[in-house]
């Protein structure tokens, strides 16, 4: 595992989820929807679609590399930070957000 590609991948997922979350927050006027969407929809879809169902869930989760977990955490952090940013903008008086 090389450090630079992992760092680039983490930044990419963070920025991607931040951007998607920010746009969804502006359009839907909800603050934490992207965070819930990430946890409820994206994570189970990824875990379930890659699971071969012959191994247990813990064996399946143990088969992922640290890179997979780091990118997932970076994406979740981007979704959470987008909700936090929208909340701060709304408290600051910006009505368009």
């Amino acid at each position: 595992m090389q450090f630079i590609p992992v760092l680039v991948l983490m930044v990419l997922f963070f920025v991607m989820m931040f951007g998607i979350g920010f746009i969804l927050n502006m359009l839907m006027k909800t603050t934490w929807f992207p965070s819930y969407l990430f946890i409820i929809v994206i994570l189970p879809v990824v875990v379930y679609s890659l699971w071969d169902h012959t191994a247990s869930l813990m064996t399946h989760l143990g088969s992922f590399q640290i890179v997979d977990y780091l990118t997932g955490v970076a994406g979740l952090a981007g979704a959470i930070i987008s909700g936090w940013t929208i909340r701060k903008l709304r408290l600051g008086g910006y009505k368009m957000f």
Side-chain angles (χ1 to χ4, degrees):
M1 178 174 76
Q2 297 175 353
F3 182 70
I4 300 297
V6 173
L7 185 64
V8 169
L9 191 61
M10 287 176 60
V11 170
L12 180 69
F13 271 75
F14 178 84
V15 170
M16 182 178 64
M17 285 306 297
F18 181 85
I20 291 170
F22 197 86
I23 291 169
L24 282 175
N25 282 326
M26 282 193 303
L27 293 176
M28 298 180 69
K29 301 288 186 187
T30 60
T31 304
W32 301 110
F33 177 71
S35 302
Y36 300 144
L37 181 72
F38 187 85
I39 293 170
I40 294 172
V41 175
I42 295 176
L43 288 179
V45 165
V46 168
V47 170
Y48 186 76
S49 67
L50 297 175
W51 192 6
D52 62 357
H53 300 290
T54 59
S56 68
L57 178 62
M58 287 301 165
T59 306
H60 173 64
L61 292 177
S63 67
F64 289 118
Q65 301 293 322
I66 189 76
V67 177
D68 302 323
Y69 290 114
L70 288 176
T71 55
V73 168
L76 181 61
I80 291 171
I81 298 293
S82 73
W84 180 80
T85 304
I86 288 288
R87 188 170 143 218
K88 290 296 180 184
L89 286 170
R90 286 184 187 142
L91 290 174
Y94 293 95
K95 298 297 179 193
M96 66 175 10
F97 298 115

Coordinates of all heavy atoms in Angstrom, one line a residue:
M1 N 0.8 -1.2 0.0 CA 0.0 0.0 0.0 C 0.9 1.2 0.0 O 1.7 1.4 0.9 CB -0.9 0.0 1.2 CG -1.8 1.2 1.3 SD -3.0 1.1 2.7 CE -1.9 1.5 4.1
Q2 N 0.7 2.0 -1.0 CA 1.5 3.3 -1.1 C 0.7 4.4 -0.5 O -0.5 4.4 -0.6 CB 1.9 3.6 -2.5 CG 2.8 2.5 -3.1 CD 3.0 2.8 -4.6 OE1 2.4 3.7 -5.2 NE2 3.9 2.0 -5.2
F3 N 1.4 5.4 0.1 CA 0.7 6.4 0.9 C 0.1 7.5 0.0 O -1.0 7.9 0.2 CB 1.7 7.1 1.8 CG 1.1 8.1 2.7 CD1 0.2 7.8 3.7 CD2 1.4 9.5 2.5 CE1 -0.3 8.8 4.5 CE2 0.9 10.4 3.2 CZ 0.0 10.1 4.3
I4 N 0.7 7.9 -1.1 CA 0.3 9.0 -1.9 C -1.1 8.6 -2.6 O -2.0 9.4 -2.6 CB 1.3 9.5 -2.9 CG1 2.6 9.9 -2.2 CG2 0.8 10.5 -3.9 CD1 2.4 11.2 -1.3
P5 N -1.2 7.5 -3.3 CA -2.5 7.2 -3.9 C -3.6 7.0 -2.9 O -4.7 7.4 -3.2 CB -2.2 5.8 -4.6 CG -0.8 5.8 -4.8 CD -0.2 6.5 -3.7
V6 N -3.3 6.5 -1.7 CA -4.4 6.4 -0.7 C -4.8 7.8 -0.3 O -6.0 8.1 -0.1 CB -3.9 5.6 0.5 CG1 -4.9 5.6 1.6 CG2 -3.6 4.2 0.1
L7 N -3.9 8.7 -0.1 CA -4.2 10.1 0.3 C -5.0 10.8 -0.8 O -6.0 11.5 -0.5 CB -2.9 10.9 0.6 CG -3.1 12.3 1.1 CD1 -3.7 12.2 2.5 CD2 -1.7 12.9 1.2
V8 N -4.6 10.6 -2.0 CA -5.4 11.2 -3.1 C -6.8 10.6 -3.2 O -7.8 11.3 -3.4 CB -4.7 11.0 -4.5 CG1 -5.5 11.3 -5.7 CG2 -3.4 11.8 -4.5
L9 N -6.9 9.3 -3.0 CA -8.2 8.7 -3.0 C -9.1 9.2 -1.9 O -10.3 9.4 -2.1 CB -8.1 7.1 -2.9 CG -9.3 6.3 -3.2 CD1 -9.8 6.5 -4.6 CD2 -8.9 4.8 -3.0
M10 N -8.5 9.3 -0.7 CA -9.3 9.9 0.4 C -9.8 11.3 0.2 O -10.9 11.6 0.5 CB -8.4 9.8 1.7 CG -8.2 8.4 2.3 SD -7.1 8.4 3.7 CE -8.0 9.4 4.8
V11 N -8.9 12.1 -0.3 CA -9.3 13.5 -0.7 C -10.4 13.5 -1.7 O -11.3 14.3 -1.6 CB -8.1 14.3 -1.1 CG1 -8.5 15.7 -1.6 CG2 -7.1 14.5 0.1
L12 N -10.2 12.7 -2.7 CA -11.2 12.6 -3.8 C -12.6 12.2 -3.2 O -13.6 12.8 -3.6 CB -10.8 11.6 -4.8 CG -11.7 11.4 -6.0 CD1 -11.8 12.6 -6.9 CD2 -11.3 10.2 -6.8
F13 N -12.7 11.2 -2.4 CA -14.0 10.8 -1.8 C -14.5 11.8 -0.9 O -15.7 12.1 -0.9 CB -13.8 9.4 -1.1 CG -14.1 8.3 -2.0 CD1 -13.1 7.9 -2.9 CD2 -15.2 7.6 -1.9 CE1 -13.3 6.8 -3.7 CE2 -15.5 6.5 -2.8 CZ -14.5 6.1 -3.7
F14 N -13.7 12.5 -0.1 CA -14.1 13.6 0.8 C -14.7 14.7 0.0 O -15.9 15.1 0.2 CB -12.9 14.1 1.6 CG -13.3 15.2 2.5 CD1 -13.9 15.0 3.7 CD2 -13.1 16.5 2.1 CE1 -14.3 16.0 4.6 CE2 -13.5 17.6 2.9 CZ -14.1 17.3 4.2
V15 N -14.0 15.2 -1.1 CA -14.5 16.3 -1.9 C -15.8 15.9 -2.7 O -16.7 16.7 -2.8 CB -13.4 16.8 -2.8 CG1 -14.0 17.7 -3.9 CG2 -12.3 17.4 -2.0
M16 N -15.8 14.7 -3.2 CA -17.0 14.2 -3.9 C -18.2 14.2 -3.0 O -19.3 14.7 -3.4 CB -16.7 12.8 -4.5 CG -17.9 12.3 -5.3 SD -17.5 10.7 -6.1 CE -17.3 9.6 -4.6
M17 N -18.1 13.6 -1.8 CA -19.3 13.5 -0.9 C -19.6 14.9 -0.4 O -20.8 15.1 -0.1 CB -19.0 12.5 0.2 CG -19.1 11.1 -0.3 SD -20.6 10.6 -1.1 CE -21.8 10.9 0.2
F18 N -18.6 15.7 -0.1 CA -18.9 17.1 0.3 C -19.7 17.8 -0.7 O -20.7 18.5 -0.4 CB -17.6 17.8 0.6 CG -17.9 19.2 1.1 CD1 -18.2 19.5 2.5 CD2 -17.9 20.3 0.3 CE1 -18.4 20.7 2.9 CE2 -18.1 21.6 0.7 CZ -18.4 21.8 2.0
G19 N -19.3 17.7 -2.0 CA -20.0 18.4 -3.1 C -21.4 17.9 -3.3 O -22.4 18.7 -3.4
I20 N -21.6 16.6 -3.3 CA -22.9 16.0 -3.5 C -23.8 16.4 -2.3 O -25.0 16.7 -2.5 CB -22.8 14.5 -3.7 CG1 -22.1 14.2 -5.0 CG2 -24.1 13.8 -3.6 CD1 -21.8 12.7 -5.2
G21 N -23.3 16.3 -1.1 CA -24.0 16.6 0.1 C -24.4 18.1 0.1 O -25.5 18.4 0.5
F22 N -23.5 18.9 -0.3 CA -23.8 20.4 -0.3 C -24.9 20.7 -1.3 O -25.9 21.4 -1.0 CB -22.6 21.2 -0.6 CG -22.6 22.6 -0.3 CD1 -22.3 23.0 1.0 CD2 -23.0 23.5 -1.2 CE1 -22.4 24.4 1.3 CE2 -23.1 24.9 -0.9 CZ -22.7 25.3 0.3
I23 N -24.9 20.1 -2.5 CA -25.9 20.3 -3.5 C -27.2 19.7 -3.0 O -28.3 20.4 -3.2 CB -25.5 19.8 -4.8 CG1 -24.3 20.6 -5.4 CG2 -26.6 19.7 -5.8 CD1 -23.6 20.0 -6.6
L24 N -27.2 18.5 -2.4 CA -28.5 18.0 -1.9 C -29.1 18.8 -0.8 O -30.3 18.9 -0.7 CB -28.2 16.5 -1.5 CG -28.1 15.5 -2.5 CD1 -27.8 14.1 -1.9 CD2 -29.4 15.3 -3.3
N25 N -28.2 19.3 0.0 CA -28.7 20.2 1.1 C -29.3 21.4 0.6 O -30.3 21.9 1.2 CB -27.5 20.5 2.1 CG -27.2 19.4 3.0 OD1 -28.1 18.6 3.4 ND2 -26.0 19.2 3.4
M26 N -28.8 22.0 -0.4 CA -29.3 23.2 -1.0 C -30.7 22.9 -1.7 O -31.6 23.7 -1.6 CB -28.4 23.9 -2.0 CG -27.3 24.6 -1.3 SD -26.4 25.7 -2.5 CE -25.8 24.5 -3.7
L27 N -30.8 21.8 -2.4 CA -32.0 21.5 -3.1 C -33.1 21.0 -2.2 O -34.3 21.4 -2.5 CB -31.7 20.5 -4.2 CG -30.8 20.9 -5.3 CD1 -30.5 19.8 -6.3 CD2 -31.4 22.1 -6.1
M28 N -32.8 20.2 -1.3 CA -33.8 19.6 -0.5 C -34.1 20.3 0.9 O -35.0 19.9 1.6 CB -33.5 18.2 -0.2 CG -33.4 17.4 -1.5 SD -33.0 15.7 -1.2 CE -34.5 15.1 -0.5
K29 N -33.3 21.3 1.2 CA -33.4 22.0 2.5 C -33.4 21.1 3.7 O -34.1 21.3 4.7 CB -34.7 22.9 2.5 CG -34.8 23.9 1.4 CD -33.9 25.0 1.6 CE -34.2 26.0 0.5 NZ -33.3 27.1 0.6
T30 N -32.6 20.1 3.6 CA -32.4 19.2 4.7 C -30.9 19.3 5.1 O -30.0 19.4 4.2 CB -32.7 17.8 4.4 OG1 -31.9 17.3 3.4 CG2 -34.2 17.6 4.1
T31 N -30.6 19.2 6.4 CA -29.2 19.4 6.8 C -28.4 18.1 6.8 O -27.3 18.0 6.3 CB -29.2 20.0 8.2 OG1 -29.9 21.2 8.2 CG2 -27.8 20.3 8.6
W32 N -29.0 17.0 7.3 CA -28.2 15.8 7.5 C -28.6 14.7 6.6 O -28.2 13.5 6.7 CB -28.3 15.3 9.0 CG -27.8 16.4 9.9 CD1 -28.6 17.1 10.8 CD2 -26.5 16.8 10.1 NE1 -27.8 18.0 11.4 CE2 -26.5 17.9 11.0 CE3 -25.3 16.5 9.5 CZ2 -25.4 18.5 11.4 CZ3 -24.2 17.2 9.8 CH2 -24.2 18.2 10.8
F33 N -29.4 15.0 5.5 CA -29.8 13.9 4.6 C -28.7 13.2 3.9 O -28.7 12.0 3.8 CB -30.8 14.5 3.5 CG -31.2 13.6 2.5 CD1 -32.1 12.6 2.8 CD2 -30.7 13.6 1.2 CE1 -32.5 11.6 1.9 CE2 -31.1 12.7 0.3 CZ -32.0 11.7 0.6
P34 N -27.6 13.9 3.4 CA -26.5 13.1 2.8 C -25.8 12.2 3.7 O -25.4 11.1 3.3 CB -25.6 14.2 2.3 CG -26.4 15.4 2.2 CD -27.5 15.3 3.2
S35 N -25.7 12.5 5.0 CA -25.1 11.6 6.0 C -25.9 10.4 6.2 O -25.4 9.2 6.2 CB -24.9 12.3 7.3 OG -24.1 13.5 7.2
Y36 N -27.2 10.6 6.3 CA -28.1 9.4 6.4 C -28.1 8.6 5.2 O -28.2 7.3 5.2 CB -29.6 9.9 6.7 CG -29.7 10.7 8.0 CD1 -30.6 11.7 8.1 CD2 -28.9 10.4 9.1 CE1 -30.7 12.4 9.2 CE2 -29.1 11.1 10.3 CZ -30.0 12.1 10.3 OH -30.1 12.9 11.5
L37 N -28.1 9.2 4.0 CA -28.1 8.5 2.7 C -26.8 7.7 2.6 O -26.9 6.5 2.2 CB -28.2 9.5 1.6 CG -28.2 8.9 0.2 CD1 -29.5 8.3 -0.1 CD2 -27.9 10.0 -0.8
F38 N -25.7 8.2 3.0 CA -24.5 7.5 3.0 C -24.5 6.2 3.8 O -24.2 5.1 3.4 CB -23.3 8.4 3.4 CG -22.0 7.7 3.2 CD1 -21.3 7.8 1.9 CD2 -21.3 7.1 4.2 CE1 -20.1 7.3 1.8 CE2 -20.1 6.5 4.0 CZ -19.5 6.6 2.8
I39 N -25.0 6.4 5.1 CA -25.0 5.3 6.0 C -26.1 4.2 5.7 O -25.8 3.0 5.7 CB -25.2 5.8 7.4 CG1 -24.0 6.6 7.9 CG2 -25.4 4.7 8.4 CD1 -24.2 7.4 9.2
I40 N -27.3 4.7 5.3 CA -28.4 3.8 5.1 C -28.4 3.1 3.7 O -28.7 2.0 3.6 CB -29.7 4.5 5.3 CG1 -29.8 4.9 6.8 CG2 -30.9 3.7 4.9 CD1 -31.0 5.8 7.1
V41 N -27.9 3.8 2.7 CA -28.0 3.3 1.4 C -26.7 2.8 0.8 O -26.5 1.7 0.4 CB -28.6 4.3 0.4 CG1 -28.6 3.8 -1.0 CG2 -30.0 4.6 0.8
I42 N -25.7 3.7 0.8 CA -24.4 3.4 0.1 C -23.6 2.3 0.8 O -23.2 1.4 0.1 CB -23.6 4.7 0.0 CG1 -24.3 5.6 -0.9 CG2 -22.2 4.4 -0.6 CD1 -23.7 7.0 -1.1
L43 N -23.5 2.3 2.1 CA -22.7 1.3 2.8 C -23.3 -0.1 2.7 O -22.6 -1.0 2.3 CB -22.4 1.7 4.2 CG -21.5 2.8 4.5 CD1 -21.3 3.2 6.0 CD2 -20.1 2.5 3.9
P44 N -24.6 -0.3 2.9 CA -25.1 -1.6 2.7 C -25.1 -2.1 1.3 O -24.9 -3.3 1.1 CB -26.6 -1.5 3.2 CG -26.6 -0.4 4.2 CD -25.6 0.6 3.6
V45 N -25.3 -1.2 0.3 CA -25.2 -1.6 -1.1 C -23.8 -2.1 -1.4 O -23.6 -3.2 -2.0 CB -25.6 -0.5 -2.0 CG1 -25.2 -0.8 -3.4 CG2 -27.1 -0.3 -1.9
V46 N -22.8 -1.4 -1.0 CA -21.4 -1.9 -1.2 C -21.1 -3.2 -0.5 O -20.5 -4.1 -1.1 CB -20.4 -0.8 -0.8 CG1 -19.0 -1.3 -0.8 CG2 -20.5 0.4 -1.7
V47 N -21.5 -3.3 0.7 CA -21.2 -4.5 1.5 C -22.0 -5.7 0.9 O -21.4 -6.8 0.7 CB -21.5 -4.3 3.0 CG1 -21.4 -5.6 3.7 CG2 -20.5 -3.3 3.6
Y48 N -23.3 -5.5 0.6 CA -24.1 -6.6 0.2 C -23.7 -7.0 -1.2 O -23.7 -8.2 -1.5 CB -25.6 -6.2 0.3 CG -26.5 -7.4 -0.1 CD1 -26.7 -8.4 0.9 CD2 -27.1 -7.5 -1.3 CE1 -27.5 -9.4 0.6 CE2 -27.9 -8.5 -1.6 CZ -28.1 -9.5 -0.7 OH -29.0 -10.6 -0.9
S49 N -23.4 -6.1 -2.1 CA -23.1 -6.4 -3.5 C -21.8 -7.2 -3.6 O -21.6 -7.9 -4.6 CB -23.1 -5.2 -4.4 OG -22.0 -4.4 -4.0
L50 N -20.9 -6.9 -2.7 CA -19.6 -7.6 -2.8 C -19.5 -8.9 -2.0 O -18.5 -9.6 -2.0 CB -18.5 -6.6 -2.3 CG -18.3 -5.4 -3.2 CD1 -17.3 -4.5 -2.6 CD2 -17.9 -5.7 -4.6
W51 N -20.5 -9.2 -1.2 CA -20.5 -10.3 -0.3 C -20.8 -11.6 -1.1 O -21.8 -11.7 -1.8 CB -21.5 -10.1 0.8 CG -21.4 -11.0 1.9 CD1 -20.5 -12.0 2.2 CD2 -22.3 -11.1 3.0 NE1 -20.8 -12.7 3.3 CE2 -21.9 -12.1 3.9 CE3 -23.5 -10.3 3.4 CZ2 -22.6 -12.4 5.1 CZ3 -24.1 -10.6 4.5 CH2 -23.7 -11.7 5.4
D52 N -20.0 -12.6 -1.0 CA -20.3 -13.9 -1.7 C -21.2 -14.8 -1.0 O -21.6 -15.9 -1.5 CB -19.0 -14.6 -2.0 CG -18.2 -15.0 -0.8 OD1 -18.7 -14.7 0.3 OD2 -17.2 -15.6 -1.0
H53 N -21.6 -14.5 0.2 CA -22.6 -15.2 1.0 C -22.2 -16.6 1.4 O -23.0 -17.4 2.0 CB -24.0 -15.3 0.4 CG -24.6 -13.9 0.1 ND1 -25.0 -13.1 1.1 CD2 -24.7 -13.2 -1.0 CE1 -25.5 -12.0 0.6 NE2 -25.3 -12.0 -0.7
T54 N -21.0 -17.0 1.1 CA -20.5 -18.3 1.6 C -19.7 -18.1 2.9 O -19.5 -19.1 3.6 CB -19.6 -19.0 0.6 OG1 -18.5 -18.1 0.3 CG2 -20.4 -19.3 -0.7
A55 N -19.3 -16.9 3.2 CA -18.5 -16.6 4.4 C -19.4 -15.8 5.3 O -20.5 -15.2 4.9 CB -17.3 -15.8 4.0
S56 N -19.0 -15.7 6.6 CA -19.8 -15.0 7.5 C -19.6 -13.5 7.3 O -18.7 -13.1 6.5 CB -19.4 -15.3 9.0 OG -18.1 -14.9 9.2
L57 N -20.4 -12.7 7.9 CA -20.3 -11.2 7.8 C -19.0 -10.7 8.3 O -18.3 -9.8 7.6 CB -21.5 -10.5 8.5 CG -21.5 -9.0 8.4 CD1 -21.6 -8.5 6.9 CD2 -22.5 -8.4 9.3
M58 N -18.5 -11.2 9.4 CA -17.2 -10.7 9.9 C -16.1 -11.2 9.0 O -15.1 -10.4 8.9 CB -17.0 -11.3 11.4 CG -17.9 -10.6 12.4 SD -17.5 -8.9 12.3 CE -18.9 -8.2 13.2
T59 N -16.1 -12.3 8.5 CA -15.1 -12.7 7.5 C -15.1 -11.8 6.3 O -14.0 -11.4 5.8 CB -15.3 -14.2 7.1 OG1 -15.4 -15.0 8.3 CG2 -14.2 -14.7 6.2
H60 N -16.3 -11.5 5.8 CA -16.4 -10.6 4.7 C -15.9 -9.2 5.0 O -15.1 -8.6 4.2 CB -17.9 -10.5 4.3 CG -18.1 -9.5 3.2 ND1 -17.6 -9.6 1.9 CD2 -18.8 -8.3 3.2 CE1 -17.9 -8.6 1.2 NE2 -18.7 -7.8 2.0
L61 N -16.2 -8.7 6.2 CA -15.7 -7.3 6.5 C -14.2 -7.4 6.8 O -13.5 -6.4 6.6 CB -16.5 -6.8 7.8 CG -17.9 -6.5 7.6 CD1 -18.6 -6.1 8.9 CD2 -18.1 -5.4 6.5
G62 N -13.7 -8.5 7.2 CA -12.3 -8.6 7.4 C -11.5 -8.7 6.1 O -10.3 -8.5 6.1
S63 N -12.2 -9.0 5.1 CA -11.5 -9.2 3.8 C -11.2 -7.8 3.1 O -10.4 -7.8 2.2 CB -12.3 -10.0 2.8 OG -13.5 -9.3 2.5
F64 N -11.8 -6.8 3.6 CA -11.5 -5.4 3.0 C -10.1 -5.0 3.5 O -9.7 -5.3 4.6 CB -12.6 -4.4 3.4 CG -13.9 -4.6 2.8 CD1 -15.0 -4.9 3.5 CD2 -14.0 -4.5 1.4 CE1 -16.2 -5.1 2.9 CE2 -15.2 -4.7 0.8 CZ -16.3 -5.0 1.5
Q65 N -9.5 -4.2 2.7 CA -8.2 -3.6 3.1 C -8.4 -2.3 3.8 O -9.5 -1.8 3.8 CB -7.4 -3.4 1.8 CG -7.1 -4.6 1.0 CD -6.2 -5.6 1.7 OE1 -5.3 -5.2 2.4 NE2 -6.5 -6.9 1.5
I66 N -7.3 -1.8 4.4 CA -7.4 -0.6 5.1 C -7.8 0.6 4.2 O -8.4 1.5 4.6 CB -6.1 -0.3 5.9 CG1 -6.2 0.9 6.8 CG2 -4.9 -0.1 4.9 CD1 -7.0 0.6 8.1
V67 N -7.4 0.5 2.9 CA -7.7 1.5 2.0 C -9.2 1.6 1.8 O -9.7 2.8 1.7 CB -7.0 1.2 0.6 CG1 -7.4 2.2 -0.4 CG2 -5.5 1.1 0.8
D68 N -9.9 0.5 1.8 CA -11.3 0.6 1.6 C -12.0 1.3 2.8 O -12.9 2.1 2.6 CB -11.9 -0.9 1.5 CG -11.3 -1.6 0.4 OD1 -11.0 -1.0 -0.7 OD2 -11.0 -2.8 0.5
Y69 N -11.5 1.0 4.0 CA -12.1 1.6 5.2 C -11.8 3.1 5.2 O -12.6 3.9 5.6 CB -11.6 0.9 6.4 CG -12.2 -0.4 6.6 CD1 -11.4 -1.6 6.6 CD2 -13.6 -0.6 6.8 CE1 -12.0 -2.8 6.7 CE2 -14.2 -1.9 6.9 CZ -13.4 -3.0 6.9 OH -13.9 -4.2 7.0
L70 N -10.6 3.5 4.8 CA -10.1 4.9 4.8 C -11.0 5.7 3.9 O -11.4 6.8 4.2 CB -8.7 5.0 4.5 CG -7.7 4.6 5.7 CD1 -6.3 4.7 5.2 CD2 -7.9 5.4 6.9
T71 N -11.2 5.2 2.7 CA -12.0 5.9 1.7 C -13.5 6.0 2.1 O -14.1 7.1 1.9 CB -11.9 5.3 0.3 OG1 -12.3 3.9 0.4 CG2 -10.6 5.4 -0.3
G72 N -14.0 5.0 2.8 CA -15.3 5.1 3.3 C -15.5 6.1 4.4 O -16.4 6.8 4.4
V73 N -14.5 6.1 5.3 CA -14.5 7.1 6.4 C -14.4 8.5 5.8 O -15.0 9.5 6.3 CB -13.4 6.8 7.4 CG1 -13.2 7.9 8.4 CG2 -13.8 5.5 8.2
A74 N -13.5 8.7 4.8 CA -13.3 10.0 4.2 C -14.6 10.5 3.5 O -15.0 11.6 3.6 CB -12.2 10.0 3.2
G75 N -15.3 9.6 2.8 CA -16.6 9.9 2.2 C -17.7 10.3 3.2 O -18.4 11.2 3.1
L76 N -17.7 9.5 4.3 CA -18.7 9.8 5.4 C -18.3 11.2 6.0 O -19.2 12.0 6.3 CB -18.7 8.7 6.4 CG -19.6 8.9 7.6 CD1 -21.1 9.0 7.1 CD2 -19.5 7.8 8.6
A77 N -17.1 11.4 6.2 CA -16.6 12.7 6.8 C -17.0 13.9 5.9 O -17.5 14.9 6.3 CB -15.1 12.7 7.0
G78 N -16.9 13.7 4.6 CA -17.3 14.7 3.6 C -18.8 15.0 3.7 O -19.3 16.1 3.6
A79 N -19.6 13.9 3.9 CA -21.1 14.1 4.0 C -21.4 14.8 5.3 O -22.3 15.7 5.3 CB -21.8 12.7 3.9
I80 N -20.8 14.5 6.3 CA -21.0 15.1 7.6 C -20.6 16.6 7.6 O -21.3 17.5 8.1 CB -20.3 14.4 8.8 CG1 -21.0 13.0 9.0 CG2 -20.4 15.1 10.1 CD1 -20.3 12.1 9.9
I81 N -19.4 16.9 7.0 CA -18.9 18.2 7.0 C -19.8 19.1 6.1 O -20.0 20.3 6.4 CB -17.5 18.3 6.5 CG1 -16.6 17.5 7.5 CG2 -17.0 19.7 6.3 CD1 -16.4 18.2 8.8
S82 N -20.4 18.5 5.1 CA -21.3 19.3 4.2 C -22.6 19.7 5.0 O -23.0 20.8 4.9 CB -21.7 18.5 3.0 OG -22.6 17.5 3.3
G83 N -23.1 18.8 5.8 CA -24.2 19.2 6.7 C -23.9 20.2 7.7 O -24.6 21.1 8.0
W84 N -22.7 20.1 8.3 CA -22.2 21.1 9.2 C -22.1 22.5 8.6 O -22.4 23.5 9.1 CB -20.9 20.6 9.9 CG -20.4 21.6 10.9 CD1 -20.8 21.7 12.2 CD2 -19.3 22.5 10.6 NE1 -20.0 22.7 12.8 CE2 -19.1 23.2 11.9 CE3 -18.5 22.8 9.6 CZ2 -18.2 24.2 12.0 CZ3 -17.6 23.8 9.7 CH2 -17.4 24.5 10.9
T85 N -21.5 22.5 7.3 CA -21.3 23.7 6.6 C -22.6 24.4 6.3 O -22.8 25.6 6.5 CB -20.5 23.5 5.3 OG1 -19.3 22.8 5.7 CG2 -20.3 24.8 4.6
I86 N -23.6 23.6 5.8 CA -24.9 24.2 5.5 C -25.6 24.7 6.8 O -26.2 25.8 6.8 CB -25.8 23.1 4.8 CG1 -25.4 22.8 3.4 CG2 -27.3 23.5 4.9 CD1 -25.7 23.9 2.4
R87 N -25.4 24.0 7.9 CA -26.0 24.5 9.1 C -25.4 25.8 9.6 O -26.1 26.7 10.0 CB -25.8 23.4 10.2 CG -26.5 23.7 11.5 CD -26.4 22.5 12.4 NE -26.3 23.0 13.7 CZ -25.6 22.5 14.7 NH1 -24.9 21.4 14.4 NH2 -25.5 23.0 15.8
K88 N -24.1 25.9 9.4 CA -23.4 27.2 9.8 C -23.8 28.3 8.9 O -24.0 29.5 9.3 CB -21.9 27.0 9.8 CG -21.4 26.1 10.9 CD -21.6 26.8 12.3 CE -21.1 25.9 13.4 NZ -21.4 26.4 14.7
L89 N -24.0 28.0 7.6 CA -24.4 29.1 6.7 C -25.8 29.5 7.0 O -26.1 30.7 6.9 CB -24.3 28.6 5.2 CG -22.9 28.5 4.7 CD1 -22.9 27.7 3.3 CD2 -22.3 29.8 4.5
R90 N -26.7 28.6 7.3 CA -28.1 29.0 7.7 C -28.1 29.8 9.0 O -28.9 30.8 9.1 CB -28.9 27.8 7.8 CG -29.3 27.1 6.5 CD -30.2 25.9 6.7 NE -30.4 25.3 5.4 CZ -30.5 24.0 5.3 NH1 -30.4 23.2 6.4 NH2 -30.6 23.4 4.1
L91 N -27.3 29.4 10.0 CA -27.2 30.2 11.2 C -26.6 31.6 11.0 O -26.9 32.5 11.7 CB -26.4 29.4 12.3 CG -27.1 28.2 12.8 CD1 -26.1 27.4 13.8 CD2 -28.4 28.5 13.5
G92 N -25.8 31.7 9.9 CA -25.1 32.9 9.6 C -26.1 33.9 8.9 O -25.7 35.0 8.5
G93 N -27.2 33.4 8.5 CA -28.2 34.3 7.9 C -28.4 34.1 6.4 O -29.1 34.8 5.7
Y94 N -27.7 33.2 5.8 CA -27.8 32.9 4.4 C -29.1 32.1 4.1 O -29.2 30.9 4.5 CB -26.6 32.2 3.8 CG -25.4 33.0 3.8 CD1 -24.5 32.9 4.9 CD2 -25.1 33.9 2.8 CE1 -23.3 33.7 4.9 CE2 -24.0 34.7 2.8 CZ -23.1 34.6 3.9 OH -22.0 35.4 3.9
K95 N -30.1 32.7 3.6 CA -31.4 32.0 3.4 C -31.4 31.1 2.2 O -32.3 30.3 2.1 CB -32.5 33.1 3.3 CG -32.6 33.9 4.5 CD -33.0 33.1 5.7 CE -33.1 34.0 6.9 NZ -33.2 33.3 8.1
M96 N -30.5 31.3 1.2 CA -30.5 30.4 0.0 C -30.1 29.0 0.4 O -30.3 28.1 -0.4 CB -29.6 31.0 -1.1 CG -28.2 31.0 -0.6 SD -26.9 31.5 -1.8 CE -27.6 32.2 -3.1
F97 N -29.5 28.8 1.5 CA -29.0 27.5 1.9 C -30.0 26.9 2.9 O -29.9 26.0 3.5 CB -27.6 27.6 2.5 CG -26.6 28.1 1.5 CD1 -25.9 29.3 1.8 CD2 -26.3 27.4 0.4 CE1 -25.0 29.7 0.9 CE2 -25.3 27.9 -0.5 CZ -24.7 29.1 -0.3

